[in-house]
């Protein structure tokens, strides 16, 4: 139970939940700047596949990544449910770095997750990388388990891969 | 008995040097009273009289009155009391003596107190002589403080110290000798240098020596303490500039840490409630503007000393500052501004001749005021004593006493020598008043009987009158004008004046500067402006940008188009027009001119040239060219580097130039202009130029290139570009000004960061030109929107040569992979645009449908194939989100009318990437 209160562990609080390839995921609502519908994306050459390109967000150009591809899931077509979650990634340094768009299948709702509901991510054996998850939560309103995404890690690795590439 | 009088006498002396009798009369009155009391006790009539006179003068002082007569009186008191003190010490009954003649020996001497082991006569001689020496030293010190450049005084001081040292040797006063030896060595070190040494270690030395003498006379067994400390101060004290070298620019003396025993560090402080005043920031900004226009005025005066307008400008600037500062109770600023204003008033009314020395002094006042303003904003404040000293110098200048930088450098000296001014005093007076040199023209004409004395005097009087009226004129011209001589005679006389040309050049108004004078004049007028926080400005510009995009999205909306309403169309067109105008206006808000940058450069050149001992004339043009604010901000550093390099490495020293047949004044040109959508800035010097071989040699030696690359076959441009490589330098010696030329790679990076280009052209022995090409704004570019596949791209118009449809005849396949097109007589490779960006170069199978656009950069030319050209428009360049790395070939994104992002092609990088791939 102490693990929950670790600095890197998932905190209780409000999470924005969304769907990715049939699974439920959540990110802390405080990191979410806004949610927008799919935009026309301008592709950028010579970047890893999950970096789809850039979009115009009210006069500001921000990069967009496809979370499915980033997390190793099979790609899917974008439909009217597909959304872009704009994450405020200012932990990366300055405000300039901040907004990064993440394409998800669809956005569900905002849930309050409290400590009791959080559990550490179980291991699925050596072949599965669970580092992207901070933990899992079992919310009473949900049948399925919510994976609390370590969005910093997800995006941070993206950044690293880009810089190296 | 002698001791107390000495002590008070010294206290008074210190007060004279350090304190302001108006502000702090107590510092003077206390020792004066004490001396007076003692004098009365002893019946020293003369001293009593002097004290009383000084005391009366002191009490009569009010702010605004000249304190100098009182100071003079007090100085006499000091001298007389010191003299008496010595005599008392020797047990001699002093006789009243007339002053000043402190070197007079007292007539009789009786044997003084004994020091063990020394014969009385010897001791007597010693104390007399040493005492005199000491007084002489002290006098010298006081004079040197007021006139630190009197090399004869420094020489005398050294002699005195040396003599004293010798005398101490006679008495075997080893420790004293050691101290004096250090002092002597110190004086040796500072002798002959341009910068005068520091005086502050000497005063404690004198104090100590007096105590030593007193000890000897009173038969003490040991010396007073402090010998070691004094020695340390002399040996570790490197001579620091109390003032800088030639140029007479007169920076403030550095705050002297050695002031310890004399006064604690005492920075200027402002009362707390003033600092809270909410009008303070406005005052500071305004005051800075005034200082700027004053500086511009002073620089203009340097070039055209006769021009009355700048004098007024400078006067008004300080007058205004004084006024507002008075309002706010900022008395240090008020005092400084008041003194400066007074001097300027004298100057502009013609009662004072405004010489380069004056300019230097006022520039120092300008700097000091700026520092005081800085202190108001929280920066470290200057020392009170510094400011007081400066005020003292200004006041002295107002009285007509101004130190002149010794004309040891440059053309002034040669000219003066050429016209026969040889001795140091003559040079000094000629430097103070160059017009005095001109009067010799009159002498020459007199000698040749071309002119009668009366006529000459008449003309001189007329000249003086004209000068007072603000219409200065040269005596030669005036004489010709008045018909007193003929022009041919004038020419002859001028050439007699000394090889004609150097004198002419000195006395004639420099002709090279006109382009900036109009500028400086404009600058001196404080324009009617409103100050806006730049943050607000940027916000406004951003919002207007978004408005434009939103408006375009409406206008281009197909649903609106399907309504086919004329009124709607008309209204939308109106909105479009208004939005466009709004955008232009907001963009122009961000535009500033190069004025302040150029002025900064002007001052920089002056300073760097002075420091490196070179004579440089800077001509500038195009300061009124308008560019985006960000360009101006970012161009400043690169320009500074380039100019420094030009002065430091490019321009030769005057003698080298003369040997090469060039005028000894180096010519530096700074020009700015717009050309086909870019800003061009050129820095031209007529120096020694850049030699290929030197660069190649250096590049080889630092391993930048290797022989196998056959650098001898490279073009000049390619060779010169090596200069920008990090770690490169051809400087023969490291100068502290521009270092090892490390600036150049930074320069290149900065310029390229602004999407600019930098080019060098040079001819050995003739000169070099650095050309900077920058986009007009960093934020907007004019581009052609093209479609390639489903994506749209923007090609900067500047990089486009032409566009055309390819015909199969001119398209050639090479190596079954690449394609070449014949255009304008050359064969140019062809790539599809999106393919090129993706590194997919193989176009096999695709027919040449579409349009070819010929683009070029410094790396060459390339043809890109696009599907269609959609139009030409100005786009705002946006960053692609900083979390993405920069992509070779894409310089940013542009938001088009439909809200979608188009990639802006970085032609330079794309071409270099393509040509690398091809090669």
């Amino acid at each position: 139970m102490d693990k929950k209160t670790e600095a890197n562990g998932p905190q209780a609080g409000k999470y924005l939940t969304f769907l990715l390839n049939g699974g439920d995921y959540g990110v802390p609502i405080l990191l979410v700047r806004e949610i927008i519908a799919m935009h026309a994306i301008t592709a950028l050459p010579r970047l890893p596949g999950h970096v789809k390109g850039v979009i115009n967000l009210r006069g500001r150009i921000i990069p967009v990544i496809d979370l499915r591809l980033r997390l190793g899931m099979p790609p899917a077509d974008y439909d009217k449910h597909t959304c872009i979650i704009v994450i405020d990634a200012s932990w990366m340094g300055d405000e300039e770095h901040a907004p990064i768009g993440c394409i998800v299948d669809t956005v569900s709702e905002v849930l309050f997750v409290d400590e009791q509901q959080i559990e550490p991510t179980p291991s699925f054996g050596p072949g599965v990388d669970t580092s992207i998850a901070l933990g899992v939560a079992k919310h009473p309103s949900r049948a399925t388990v919510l994976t609390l995404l370590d969005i910093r890690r997800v995006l941070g690795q993206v950044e690293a891969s880009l810089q190296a590439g | 008995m002698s001791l107390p009088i000495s002590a008070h006498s010294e206290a008074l002396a210190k007060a004279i040097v350090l304190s302001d009798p108006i502000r702090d009369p107590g510092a003077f009155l206390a020792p004066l009273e004490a001396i007076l009391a003692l004098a009365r006790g002893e019946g020293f009539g003369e001293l009593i009289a002097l004290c009383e006179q000084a005391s009366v003068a002191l009490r009569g002082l009010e702010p605004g009155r000249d304190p100098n007569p009182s100071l003079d009186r007090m100085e006499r008191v000091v001298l007389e009391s010191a003299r008496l003190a010595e005599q008392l010490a020797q047990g001699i009954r002093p006789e009243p003596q007339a002053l000043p003649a402190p070197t007079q020996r007292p007539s009789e001497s009786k044997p003084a107190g004994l020091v063990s082991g020394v014969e009385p006569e010897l001791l007597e001689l010693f104390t007399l002589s040493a005492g005199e020496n000491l007084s002489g030293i002290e006098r010298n010190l006081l004079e040197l403080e007021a006139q630190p450049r009197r090399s004869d005084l420094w020489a005398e001081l050294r002699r005195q110290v040396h003599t004293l040292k010798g005398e101490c040797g006679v008495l075997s006063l080893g420790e004293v000798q050691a101290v004096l030896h250090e002092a002597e060595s110190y004086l040796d070190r500072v002798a002959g240098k341009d910068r005068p040494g520091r005086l502050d270690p000497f005063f404690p030395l004198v104090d100590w020596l007096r105590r030593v003498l007193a000890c000897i006379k009173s038969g003490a067994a040991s010396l007073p303490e402090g010998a070691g400390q004094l020695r340390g101060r002399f040996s570790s004290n490197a001579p620091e500039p109390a003032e800088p070298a030639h140029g007479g620019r007169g920076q403030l003396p550095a705050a002297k840490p050695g002031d310890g025993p004399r006064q604690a560090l005492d920075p200027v402080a402002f009362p707390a409630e003033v600092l809270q005043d909410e009008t303070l920031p406005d005052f500071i900004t305004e005051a800075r503007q005034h200082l700027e226009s004053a500086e511009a005025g002073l620089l203009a005066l340097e070039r055209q000393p006769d021009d009355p307008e700048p004098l007024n400008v400078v006067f008004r600037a300080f007058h205004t500052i004084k006024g507002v500062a008075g309002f706010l109770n900022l008395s240090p600023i008020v005092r400084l501004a008041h003194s400066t204003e007074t001097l300027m008033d004298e100057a502009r009314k013609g009662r004072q001749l405004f010489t380069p020395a004056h300019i230097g002094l006022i520039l120092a006042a300008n700097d000091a005021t700026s520092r005081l303003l800085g202190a108001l904003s929280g920066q470290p404040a200057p020392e009170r004593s510094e400011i007081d000293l400066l005020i003292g110098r200004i006041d002295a200048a107002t009285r007509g006493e101004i130190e002149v930088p010794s004309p040891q450098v440059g053309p002034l000296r040669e000219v003066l020598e050429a016209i026969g001014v040889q001795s140091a005093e003559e040079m000094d007076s000629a430097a103070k008043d160059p017009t005095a040199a001109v009067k010799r023209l009159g002498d020459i004409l007199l000698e040749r009987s071309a002119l009668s004395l009366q006529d000459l005097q008449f003309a001189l009087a007329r000249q003086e009158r004209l000068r007072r009226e603000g219409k200065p004129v040269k005596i030669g011209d005036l004489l010709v004008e008045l018909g007193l001589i003929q022009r041919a005679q004038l020419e002859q006389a001028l050439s007699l004046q000394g090889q004609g040309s150097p004198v002419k050049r000195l006395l004639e108004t420099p002709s090279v500067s006109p382009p900036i004078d109009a500028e400086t004049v404009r600058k001196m007028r404080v324009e009617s402006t409103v100050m806006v926080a730049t943050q607000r400005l940027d916000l406004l510009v951003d919002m207007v940008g978004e408005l434009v995009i939103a408006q375009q999205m409406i206008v281009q909306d197909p649903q609106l188009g399907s309504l086919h309403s004329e009124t709607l169309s008309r209204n939308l067109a109106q909105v479009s027009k208004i939005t466009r105008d709004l955008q232009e206006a907001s963009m122009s808000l961000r535009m500033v001119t190069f004025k302040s940058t150029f002025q900064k450069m002007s001052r920089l050149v002056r300073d760097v040239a002075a420091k490196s001992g070179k004579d440089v004339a800077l001509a500038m043009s195009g300061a009124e060219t308008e560019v985006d604010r960000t360009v101006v901000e970012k161009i400043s550093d690169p320009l500074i580097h380039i100019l420094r390099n030009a002065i430091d490495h490019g321009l030769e020293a005057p003698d080298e130039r003369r040997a090469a047949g060039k005028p000894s004044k180096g010519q530096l040109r700074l020009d700015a202009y717009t050309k086909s959508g870019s800003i061009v800035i050129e820095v031209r010097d007529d120096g020694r130029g850049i030699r290929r071989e030197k660069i190649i040699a250096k590049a080889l030696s630092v391993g930048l290139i290797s022989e196998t690359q056959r650098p001898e076959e490279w073009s000049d441009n390619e060779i010169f570009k090596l200069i920008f490589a990090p770690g490169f330098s051809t400087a023969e010696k490291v100068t502290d000004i521009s270092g090892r030329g490390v600036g150049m790679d930074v320069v290149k990076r900065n310029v390229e960061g602004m999407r600019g280009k930098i080019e060098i052209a040079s001819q050995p022995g003739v000169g070099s030109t650095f050309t900077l090409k920058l986009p007009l704004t960093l934020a907007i570019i004019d581009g052609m929107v093209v479609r390639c596949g489903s994506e749209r791209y923007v090609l900067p118009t500047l990089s486009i040569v032409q566009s055309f449809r390819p015909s199969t005849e001119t398209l050639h396949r090479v190596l079954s992979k690449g394609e070449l097109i014949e255009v304008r007589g050359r064969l140019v490779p062809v790539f599809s645009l999106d393919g090129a960006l993706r590194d997919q170069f193989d176009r096999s199978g695709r027919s040449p449908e579409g349009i070819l656009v010929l683009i070029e950069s410094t790396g060459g030319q390339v043809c890109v194939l696009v599907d269609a050209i959609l139009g030409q428009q100005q786009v705002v360049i946006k960053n692609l989100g900083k979390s993405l790395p920069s992509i070779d070939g894409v310089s940013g994104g542009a938001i088009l009318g439909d809200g979608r992002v188009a990639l802006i092609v970085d032609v330079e990088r794309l071409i270099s990437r393509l040509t690398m791939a091809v090669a």
Side-chain angles (χ1 to χ4, degrees):
Chain A
M1 292 303 129
D2 285 334
K3 269 200 187 163
K4 289 179 240 150
T5 50
E6 265 175 29
N8 288 332
Q11 314 284 331
K14 288 196 178 153
Y15 283 79
L16 174 69
T17 60
F18 52 90
L19 237 65
L20 269 185
N21 200 24
D24 280 315
Y25 296 84
V27 288
I29 192 76
L30 291 175
L31 294 178
V32 176
R33 268 197 183 200
E34 55 191 292
I35 305 163
I36 54 182
M38 264 312 277
H39 272 45
I41 301 179
T42 303
L44 291 172
R46 297 201 301 273
L47 286 179
H50 55 257
V51 181
K52 300 301 281 185
V54 290
I55 60 170
N56 163 23
L57 185 62
R58 285 195 313 287
R60 188 170 176 174
I61 299 185
I62 65 170
V64 170
I65 70 167
D66 186 317
L67 264 187
R68 269 182 174 249
L69 297 179
R70 170 67 190 92
L71 298 176
M73 304 167 187
D77 291 331
Y78 303 142
D79 58 23
K80 62 181 181 202
H81 297 293
T82 319
C83 298
I84 299 179
I85 301 179
V86 182
I87 299 282
D88 183 351
S90 44
W91 68 80
M92 288 212 227
D94 52 281
E95 210 274 333
E96 297 267 4
H97 279 60
I100 299 184
C102 303
I103 302 174
V104 300
D105 294 353
T106 188
V107 166
S108 310
E109 58 182 326
V110 177
L111 282 182
F112 184 86
V113 177
D114 65 43
E115 285 179 14
Q116 269 70 43
Q117 295 153 349
I118 303 179
E119 300 195 20
T121 324
S123 157
F124 295 101
V128 181
D129 175 19
T130 54
S131 62
I132 49 135
L134 290 172
V136 293
K138 180 81 181 74
H139 198 271
S141 71
R142 289 297 189 88
T144 52
V145 166
L146 196 57
T147 308
L148 302 176
L149 209 54
D150 186 354
I151 194 70
R152 286 172 202 240
R153 198 187 195 96
V154 170
L155 293 183
Q157 282 177 349
V158 168
E159 168 118 1
S161 71
L162 289 177
Q163 304 292 6
Chain B
M1 182 57 225
S2 66
L3 268 177
I5 272 202
S6 306
H8 292 303
S9 166
E10 278 157 35
L12 187 57
K14 277 186 194 163
I16 291 174
V17 173
L18 290 179
S19 309
D20 180 349
I22 297 177
R23 239 182 12 148
D24 186 13
F28 299 86
L29 280 174
L32 254 187
E33 304 283 291
I35 296 176
L36 183 54
L38 289 168
R40 286 208 175 108
E42 291 292 307
F44 297 145
E46 181 74 20
L47 185 53
I48 296 173
L50 287 173
C51 284
E52 281 169 350
Q53 284 172 2
S55 178
V56 164
L58 190 58
R59 286 180 214 278
L61 273 184
E62 299 153 2
R65 293 191 65 166
D66 185 7
N68 290 298
S70 323
L71 288 173
D72 282 339
R73 296 241 158 88
M74 289 190 277
E75 262 187 61
R76 290 172 172 228
V77 171
V78 168
L79 292 170
E80 173 69 7
S81 52
R83 191 185 67 85
L84 290 173
E86 279 169 50
Q87 295 184 354
L88 279 176
Q90 294 146 26
I92 302 161
R93 186 75 206 155
E95 298 160 20
Q97 302 244 358
L99 283 177
T103 45
Q104 283 182 25
R105 293 169 172 272
S107 40
E108 289 298 310
S109 56
K110 293 184 190 147
L114 288 169
V115 171
S116 58
V118 177
E119 292 168 323
E121 291 99 319
L122 208 53
L123 192 61
E124 198 179 283
L125 274 174
F126 169 76
T127 47
L128 270 179
S129 166
E132 260 173 61
N133 238 335
L134 211 48
S135 303
I137 290 178
E138 201 161 45
R139 234 186 7 264
N140 261 340
L141 290 176
L142 290 177
E143 277 196 53
L144 274 171
E145 237 185 8
Q147 300 182 58
R149 292 191 179 275
R150 291 275 305 272
S151 45
D152 54 332
L153 292 179
W154 282 103
E156 203 187 302
L157 182 65
R158 196 188 157 283
R159 266 198 317 272
Q160 287 163 328
V161 169
H162 182 78
T163 313
L164 197 54
K165 184 180 86 168
E167 289 169 351
C168 290
V170 171
L171 282 194
S172 306
L173 294 167
E175 223 181 340
V176 186
Q177 258 192 312
V179 175
L180 287 169
H181 181 72
E182 285 302 326
E184 201 188 330
S185 313
Y186 174 79
L187 285 169
D188 282 336
R189 282 202 299 274
V190 303
K193 288 224 163 96
D194 281 341
R195 303 161 206 188
R198 297 174 59 153
L199 289 170
D200 45 340
F202 283 97
F203 288 93
L205 173 67
V206 169
D207 295 348
W208 184 73
L209 286 170
R210 281 203 190 282
R211 286 204 293 279
V212 167
L213 277 186
C215 283
I216 293 175
K217 289 166 201 168
S218 62
S222 59
L223 291 173
E225 292 176 347
Q229 207 189 22
L230 283 171
R231 278 222 314 276
R233 288 182 69 175
F234 280 108
S235 54
S236 65
N237 252 324
E240 263 182 48
E243 288 174 45
H246 29 279
R249 194 172 153 287
Q251 288 159 350
L252 281 186
K256 305 171 191 173
D259 281 344
R262 308 188 84 197
Q263 68 188 70
L265 279 178
D266 180 22
V268 171
F270 296 100
E273 62 275 8
V274 172
L275 295 173
Q276 311 283 14
D277 194 318
E278 26 179 54
T279 59
L280 195 64
D282 287 335
F283 162 72
I284 295 178
T285 325
E286 263 187 60
R288 286 205 186 280
Q289 278 182 341
H290 287 301
L291 287 180
E292 242 185 66
S293 46
E295 191 180 77
L298 289 165
L299 290 176
L301 279 171
E302 262 195 328
R303 279 186 296 272
Q304 279 174 291
D306 306 327
D307 193 351
E309 178 56 24
L311 284 173
N312 281 321
V313 168
V314 179
F315 167 77
R316 278 198 296 268
F318 281 99
H319 180 72
T320 314
I321 292 180
K322 181 186 88 163
V324 186
F327 248 166
L328 289 168
N329 258 323
L330 299 165
S331 58
I333 299 184
V334 175
R335 280 175 51 220
L336 181 56
H338 177 71
S339 294
T340 316
E341 167 201 64
T342 313
L343 178 57
M344 288 313 304
D345 201 24
E346 294 289 302
R348 75 182 182 142
K349 294 204 176 123
R351 290 198 285 264
Q352 270 273 10
L353 203 57
F354 208 69
T355 68
H358 287 85
I359 293 182
L361 191 55
I362 305 289
L363 276 176
N366 203 319
D367 288 341
T369 315
S370 184
R371 281 174 65 191
L372 287 170
L373 289 175
L376 285 172
S377 327
Q379 286 162 27
E383 289 291 307
R384 239 184 253 280
S385 54
E386 271 184 64
I387 305 289
D388 288 342
L389 207 60
L390 181 60
I391 294 180
R393 281 172 62 200
I394 299 176
D395 290 339
T398 316
R399 290 197 298 273
E401 306 152 15
I402 184 160
E403 324 102 17
V404 164
S406 42
Q408 283 160 13
V409 175
L412 184 53
R413 189 179 215 194
E414 299 142 35
V415 175
L416 291 174
E417 278 175 349
I419 56 179
V421 177
Q422 297 284 10
S423 73
E425 286 109 26
E426 281 181 311
M427 282 209 190
D428 264 348
S429 64
K432 268 195 210 175
D433 181 9
T435 63
V438 183
K439 282 192 187 132
R440 288 173 165 259
L441 185 62
D443 291 335
I444 295 175
L445 290 165
L446 278 178
E447 282 168 38
R448 302 268 149 172
S449 310
L451 193 59
S452 76
L453 186 59
Q454 280 160 320
D455 288 343
L456 178 61
Q457 285 171 336
F458 172 78
L460 284 171
R462 172 67 76 87
Q463 184 193 39
E464 182 62 20
R465 232 200 356 268
L466 285 172
R467 193 179 65 81
R468 287 187 200 283
E469 289 170 16
K471 300 190 208 110
V473 71
K474 291 203 281 289
I475 190 67
D477 293 329
L478 182 60
L479 287 169
V480 172
E481 222 182 273
L482 292 171
L484 295 168
I485 59 172
Q486 294 175 356
R487 186 144 288 271
Q489 291 172 309
L490 174 64
E491 301 290 333
Q492 214 182 27
L494 282 173
S495 68
L496 280 174
Q497 239 181 353
Q499 293 140 21
S501 34
V503 178
K504 263 198 190 142
R505 255 183 290 127
L506 175 70
L507 299 176
E508 273 170 4
T509 339
S511 53
V512 110
S513 44
I516 191 61
D517 283 338
E519 256 333 288
T520 337
V521 168
R522 264 177 65 188
K523 178 146 201 138
M524 293 190 294
R525 275 190 226 119
V526 181
E527 290 158 352
S528 160
T529 48
V530 173
M531 289 191 297
V532 179
T534 47
Q535 232 182 6
R536 288 192 193 170
L537 204 59
D538 287 341
L539 189 61
L540 181 68
V541 171
D542 279 347
M543 289 200 294
V544 170
E546 285 185 36
L547 177 65
V548 168
I549 293 170
Q551 171 258 330
Q552 279 175 346
M553 281 170 72
I554 295 178
V555 166
Q556 293 175 11
D557 189 316
Q559 286 191 342
L560 276 186
S562 66
L563 287 177
H564 293 302
S565 159
E566 237 192 69
T567 3
L568 185 59
S569 301
R570 240 203 343 263
N571 289 335
L572 285 177
Q574 176 76 322
V575 171
S576 289
K577 179 178 184 313
I578 296 178
T579 320
R580 261 199 320 274
D581 289 343
L582 187 60
Q583 187 184 37
E584 259 188 55
S586 74
M587 291 312 300
S588 77
L589 286 180
R590 291 173 55 103
M591 303 287 260
V592 291
T593 65
F594 278 124
K595 276 195 306 195
S596 48
T597 312
F598 275 23
Q599 194 185 321
K600 211 173 23 167
M601 299 302 137
S602 182
R603 185 122 182 226
L604 172 89
V605 165
R606 198 173 177 274
D607 294 347
V608 173
K611 264 203 197 143
S612 61
K614 296 186 185 160
D615 198 19
V616 181
L618 176 67
M620 303 190 272
S621 79
E624 67 282 352
T625 316
E626 281 195 345
V627 272
D628 187 78
R629 198 163 49 89
T630 27
V631 171
V632 165
E633 281 164 20
K634 295 193 181 183
I635 199 64
S636 180
D637 279 345
L639 263 188
I640 290 178
H641 271 120
I642 294 178
L643 281 170
R644 272 192 175 149
N645 259 307
I647 297 176
D648 217 34
H649 303 310
L651 288 175
E652 315 94 326
D655 24 306
E656 203 185 317
R657 284 182 68 88
R658 274 198 300 272
K662 297 183 189 174
S664 56
K665 220 176 178 53
Q667 302 293 323
L668 205 51
R669 276 204 69 89
L670 180 58
D671 298 299
Y673 53 90
T674 43
K675 183 175 164 187
S676 49
S678 307
I679 287 275
V680 181
I681 302 180
E682 277 177 359
V683 179
R684 253 194 294 243
D685 69 74
D686 67 346
R688 46 171 86 100
I690 304 176
R691 285 194 294 265
R692 275 180 74 101
E693 312 76 45
K694 269 190 96 181
I695 299 195
I696 295 179
K698 185 70 189 207
L700 286 172
S701 77
V702 297
L704 213 54
I705 55 173
S706 69
E707 287 284 354
T708 53
Q709 293 170 280
R710 299 164 74 78
E712 6 9 292
E713 292 173 8
W714 290 8
S715 72
D716 273 359
N717 224 351
E718 290 166 322
I719 299 282
F720 292 156
K721 286 223 144 74
L722 289 171
I723 297 180
F724 294 116
F728 182 90
S729 163
T730 54
E732 269 139 20
K733 59 181 188 330
V734 178
T735 62
D736 70 320
I737 309 171
S738 51
R740 290 184 173 279
V742 281
M744 283 326 246
D745 63 323
V746 175
V747 168
K748 178 162 194 255
R749 244 186 316 189
N750 282 358
V751 171
E752 287 186 345
M754 292 190 272
R755 285 183 302 112
K757 285 191 273 212
I758 180 166
E759 278 160 21
I760 313 181
S762 176
Q763 261 187 295
V766 177
S768 321
T769 306
F770 282 73
T771 309
L772 292 150
K773 287 206 184 96
L774 302 165
L776 261 178
T777 80
L778 299 185
I780 285 199
I781 110 179
D782 197 76
M784 204 183 278
V785 183
V786 299
R787 184 171 57 81
C788 201
S790 58
E791 294 290 348
R792 285 172 306 171
Y793 301 91
V794 177
L795 291 166
T797 317
L798 285 182
S799 312
I800 299 179
V801 181
Q802 66 175 97
S803 59
F804 54 98
R805 269 193 201 286
S807 62
T808 31
E809 302 91 56
T810 45
L811 199 58
H812 308 283
R813 236 186 148 67
V814 171
L815 299 177
S816 74
K817 278 273 182 75
E819 283 175 307
L820 290 178
I821 185 110
E822 226 179 278
V823 63
R824 292 177 166 218
R826 296 174 59 180
L827 288 173
V828 174
V830 175
F831 303 93
S832 81
L833 183 56
D834 53 359
L837 286 170
R838 283 173 227 284
D839 283 346
Q840 290 157 9
F841 302 119
D842 187 3
R843 286 196 349 100
S844 46
R846 282 176 65 168
S847 56
E849 293 275 334
I851 302 189
L852 280 178
V853 183
L854 179 63
I855 54 178
E856 72 171 354
S857 75
T858 48
Q861 286 185 339
V862 148
C863 255
V864 286
L865 186 66
V866 301
D867 293 337
I869 293 183
L870 300 177
Q872 187 171 348
Q873 65 175 94
Q874 285 192 325
V875 291
V876 179
I877 305 173
K878 302 256 177 187
N879 273 315
L880 286 179
K882 294 258 177 94
S883 38
L884 296 172
S886 54
I887 303 172
D888 232 6
V890 176
S891 62
I895 300 183
L896 298 181
D898 64 355
R900 287 186 53 189
V901 177
L903 298 180
I904 301 176
V905 177
D906 183 340
V907 173
E908 178 100 23
R909 298 281 273 271
L910 182 66
I911 291 186
S912 60
R913 203 187 165 82
L914 291 176
T915 46
M916 260 189 350
V918 169

